[in-house]
Amino acid sequence: MTEEREILEVDVLFVGGGVSCLSGAIHLANLIEAHDKKVQEQGQGEPLGEVMIAVLEKGPFVGAQAMSGAVMDPSALKELVPDYLDKGAPLEAEVSQEEVCLLTRTGRIKAPFTPPPLNNHGNYVVSLSKLTEWLGQMAEERGINIFPGFAGVEILFEDGAVAGVRTGDKGIGPDGEKKPNFEPGIDLKAKVTVFGEGPRGSLTKDLIKKLNLAEGRNPQSYVVGVKEVWEVPEGRFKAGRVVHTMGYPHRSDTYGGGFIYGMSNNQVAVGLLTGLDYRDPFLDPHREFQKFKLHPFVAEILKDGKMAQYGAKTVPVGGYFAMPKLVFDGGLLVGDSAGLFVSQKIKGLHTAMKSGLLAAETVLEALLKQDFSEAQLSRYQTALLEGPVGRELHKVRNFHQAFQKGLWSALVTAGFQYILGGKILRDRLPAETDFSHLAKVGQVYGTASPSPEQKGDIKFDGQRTFDKETDVYYSGTTHEEKQPPHLKILDLQVCYTVCAESFQNPCLRFCPANVYEMEADDKTGQKSMKLNFSNCLHCKTCDVKDPFENINWVPPEGGGGPKYTKM
């Protein structure tokens, strides 16, 4: 029997409550107000009147699942809110001191100068969760409808065009049964839908596949960032000080690096980025981050401090040639969903916000013409690619691919790319999916049973280093446990056979939240997969890195997941 669903019709729907969608929604409301005022003053044209703008957010509140490093280029924020300082934008500190260094196992080699792409003069250290919450409040003040706690689970189509999104049912039991508190999802129908779900969004992934938006493009590549915010003794690390590291704990064949950012109130953001195109099936990004904190340079910063919050998130680093087609009948892609991260600068907030602004300007034209076709909306893609965002991404179009042969050759190649405007040997370097880079255990270690020392295992001391369960506690993550797991293992037999034989189940290690656990029966020794899905940080690492594409991440019941306040 078909479920009766409430239908809510809006004019413009933004899917995702991050900075790209919130910037777009606010800018669109401002543009509509300015247009109607101009019509009234000049007596020409037709006013748009009341336009219903809605923002759908799966987290329990706006900002709850927003996480980044983060150092922000304020150019797009300044365009959206020219007086952002007077209006109390929650900026931690203006960057006042910066350095780039190479970490050896016990030492540190400081670069004699800051490479131009990492020059952060005029930028700000921010907490993305705080900034997103602030933009959410501004959106509500502009009369924008925000629906937190509702996850989009299905794209609605009418006559081949995107027509909105269906939200997930609530009150579904572990076996799919309806509980007494069951509520069917809502069909949010819109003239135009803007998808800004962040990296590897489930709806965006389906949309790209269904509409062939990635045809002719490089596969998207990701890093996973594992981060903690610490409270440190007064004067230990200056607010606005920015440190980026290369080298330890990563081996030279692993893409990534560390960061330490001075926040306000004696807080420090410390994190490690690990490229998910790594080769070693025993690599554990969370463990590598704990090792990073044990390095003498980092350990001295954190000494006598206290960890306050933990989180993890993937970031799209495939670059210009991995961007999918951004427009289609009835909608468009913005922010991380569009792959707008500038790897060379380790920045994506300004490009995400700018994409939201350009989307709003395109949607305004579409509303005036009542034309939401791909042809009309394509103005957004043109403006993005031919404007500052496209130019910035094009200059670093081969940056990530240059690291496929390791750190040392990449530094040389990246230098030439910077000088030559992104071109090296040829204009477009090829790329492969992240999971395809994973090697078999025997290929990496020469044995099927590497020792703990070979794998790089460490013991967690509970003071500076923490196991995954402890860190997850500090993320505020909660889920309704009596619901179907939102991490869909497509074929469990793959886990017990070819994946175990070749890779020894890398999901046990690449997940930064200990969601995947293999239990052995006391009597038979038979292993079975246990899903601790209530630990999930919504980082999507499993969806990216599983070597058999055997894990499909879908949204849990709305409101579940991390509850960040400092990230």
Side-chain angles (χ1 to χ4, degrees):
M1 184 173 124
T2 304
E3 197 70 53
E4 285 286 334
R5 297 182 183 275
E6 179 182 350
I7 297 175
L8 177 61
E9 295 191 1
V10 302
D11 293 293
V12 185
L13 176 62
F14 289 86
V15 181
V19 293
S20 56
C21 281
L22 290 171
S23 298
I26 294 167
H27 192 44
L28 179 59
N30 292 340
L31 290 171
I32 291 169
E33 181 181 25
H35 168 79
D36 286 0
K37 183 179 180 181
K38 183 178 179 181
V39 168
Q40 185 178 21
E41 290 174 350
Q42 298 182 357
Q44 295 179 345
E46 291 292 329
L48 283 168
E50 186 174 348
V51 176
M52 188 169 180
I53 305 170
V55 177
L56 192 66
E57 166 56 37
K58 66 179 174 64
F61 55 87
V62 173
Q65 295 175 4
M67 172 185 153
S68 184
V71 173
M72 181 184 71
D73 172 344
S75 56
L77 177 61
K78 189 180 297 184
E79 185 176 347
L80 176 65
V81 189
D83 55 348
Y84 64 92
L85 291 176
D86 294 335
K87 287 190 173 171
L91 310 175
E92 296 293 319
E94 186 171 0
V95 176
S96 58
Q97 180 182 351
E98 54 191 328
E99 64 184 84
V100 177
C101 54
L102 172 70
L103 299 184
T104 63
R105 184 172 291 275
T106 57
R108 164 173 158 257
I109 303 171
K110 184 178 176 181
F113 64 93
T114 301
L118 294 178
N119 186 329
N120 285 290
H121 179 74
N123 296 333
Y124 291 90
V125 175
V126 299
S127 157
L128 184 57
S129 46
K130 290 180 185 178
L131 180 65
T132 305
E133 183 181 20
W134 180 73
L135 287 171
Q137 292 169 354
M138 186 177 296
E140 288 183 324
E141 290 168 1
R142 298 293 291 110
I144 294 161
N145 299 276
I146 299 181
F147 300 105
F150 288 88
V153 299
E154 184 181 340
I155 302 166
L156 302 176
F157 288 89
E158 289 182 3
D159 299 325
V162 171
V165 163
R166 174 170 293 171
T167 67
D169 297 340
K170 294 189 176 185
I172 298 291
D175 298 320
E177 74 280 9
K178 296 177 184 176
K179 297 189 290 188
N181 64 337
F182 172 77
E183 293 180 16
I186 300 170
D187 283 355
L188 277 163
K189 293 193 172 183
K191 296 174 181 176
V192 61
T193 306
V194 180
F195 293 86
E197 301 176 280
R200 197 75 170 188
S202 54
L203 293 179
T204 304
K205 188 172 72 167
D206 291 345
L207 198 63
I208 289 172
K209 185 176 181 180
K210 183 178 179 66
L211 300 182
N212 296 317
L213 301 181
E215 185 177 3
R217 313 300 291 168
N218 284 350
Q220 187 58 267
S221 187
Y222 298 85
V223 298
V224 59
V226 183
K227 172 185 172 183
E228 292 170 354
V229 173
W230 279 65
E231 297 168 358
V232 298
E234 187 173 357
R236 175 68 58 77
F237 198 88
K238 182 182 177 182
R241 181 184 176 190
V242 167
V243 177
H244 289 110
T245 75
M246 299 177 290
Y248 184 85
H250 288 327
R251 297 188 306 205
S252 63
D253 63 351
T254 302
Y255 179 79
F259 62 86
I260 310 167
Y261 300 154
M263 302 171 70
S264 60
N265 301 317
N266 298 306
Q267 295 186 113
V268 175
V270 55
L272 184 72
L273 301 174
T274 302
L276 291 180
D277 54 358
Y278 64 78
R279 182 170 179 265
D280 182 356
F282 275 99
L283 192 149
D284 182 331
H286 172 272
R287 181 195 63 207
E288 297 304 292
F289 172 56
Q290 304 307 313
K291 289 162 67 176
F292 176 66
K293 291 185 294 175
L294 290 174
H295 187 278
F297 172 63
V298 185
E300 184 60 31
I301 294 169
L302 303 181
K303 183 180 178 181
D304 299 322
K306 179 183 178 183
M307 194 257 287
Q309 199 156 85
Y310 169 78
K313 177 195 174 185
T314 49
V315 181
V317 295
Y320 185 86
F321 292 121
M323 290 168 52
K325 183 179 178 183
L326 303 179
V327 295
F328 38 87
D329 289 332
L332 42 84
L333 305 178
V334 296
D336 278 352
S337 289
L340 306 180
F341 187 80
V342 186
S343 300
Q344 190 184 59
K345 293 185 176 182
I346 322 176
K347 285 182 182 59
L349 297 186
H350 68 295
T351 53
M353 294 182 74
K354 181 63 176 178
S355 71
L357 303 184
L358 294 173
E361 292 162 12
T362 300
V363 170
L364 175 71
E365 292 183 14
L367 288 169
L368 291 170
K369 295 181 179 180
Q370 286 298 295
D371 179 359
F372 308 100
S373 66
E374 179 185 321
Q376 176 64 36
L377 297 178
S378 65
R379 298 177 180 221
Y380 160 70
Q381 180 160 316
T382 300
L384 187 83
L385 295 182
E386 294 183 357
V389 173
R391 290 194 295 269
E392 191 171 10
L393 286 166
H394 190 259
K395 285 180 182 178
V396 296
R397 56 194 177 277
N398 291 308
F399 181 78
H400 182 68
Q401 294 94 305
F403 282 80
Q404 297 300 310
K405 293 183 179 180
L407 174 63
W408 306 116
S409 64
L411 292 177
V412 175
T413 304
F416 279 114
Q417 285 184 355
Y418 181 76
I419 295 169
L420 300 173
K423 184 176 182 179
I424 186 76
L425 299 180
R426 45 182 164 163
D427 192 59
R428 175 179 174 177
L429 296 180
E432 298 176 351
T433 53
D434 286 340
F435 66 82
S436 67
H437 289 265
L438 202 65
K440 295 180 180 180
V441 174
Q443 291 175 321
V444 176
Y445 292 96
T447 174
S449 303
S451 67
E453 291 76 18
Q454 286 177 296
K455 293 182 289 185
D457 292 347
I458 63 170
K459 292 183 179 180
F460 306 109
D461 59 26
Q463 295 179 334
R464 189 174 300 127
T465 59
F466 308 95
D467 59 26
K468 292 180 181 180
E469 290 82 357
T470 301
D471 261 332
V472 167
Y473 172 80
Y474 281 93
S475 71
T477 294
T478 57
H479 291 84
E480 166 57 56
E481 297 199 20
K482 294 184 178 179
Q483 64 172 306
H486 64 281
L487 300 143
K488 308 296 183 182
I489 298 180
L490 307 181
D491 185 352
L492 274 170
Q493 287 307 307
V494 169
C495 303
Y496 303 140
T497 55
V498 289
C499 190
E501 293 160 6
S502 298
F503 305 108
Q504 296 190 30
N505 302 113
C507 62
L508 309 183
R509 296 169 291 277
F510 61 54
C511 173
N514 199 40
V515 168
Y516 303 92
E517 190 175 356
M518 199 68 80
E519 293 185 327
D521 186 274
D522 291 337
K523 294 181 180 179
T524 65
Q526 183 71 33
K527 292 185 177 181
S528 61
M529 177 66 75
K530 178 185 177 184
L531 280 178
N532 305 308
F533 71 85
S534 60
N535 287 5
C536 182
L537 296 168
H538 299 198
C539 71
K540 322 288 179 60
T541 301
C542 56
D543 197 294
V544 173
K545 189 59 177 175
D546 184 80
F548 296 97
E549 296 184 278
N550 196 35
I551 301 173
N552 183 32
W553 191 97
V554 298
E557 188 171 292
K563 297 179 180 64
Y564 300 139
T565 57
K566 300 174 182 289
M567 305 300 277

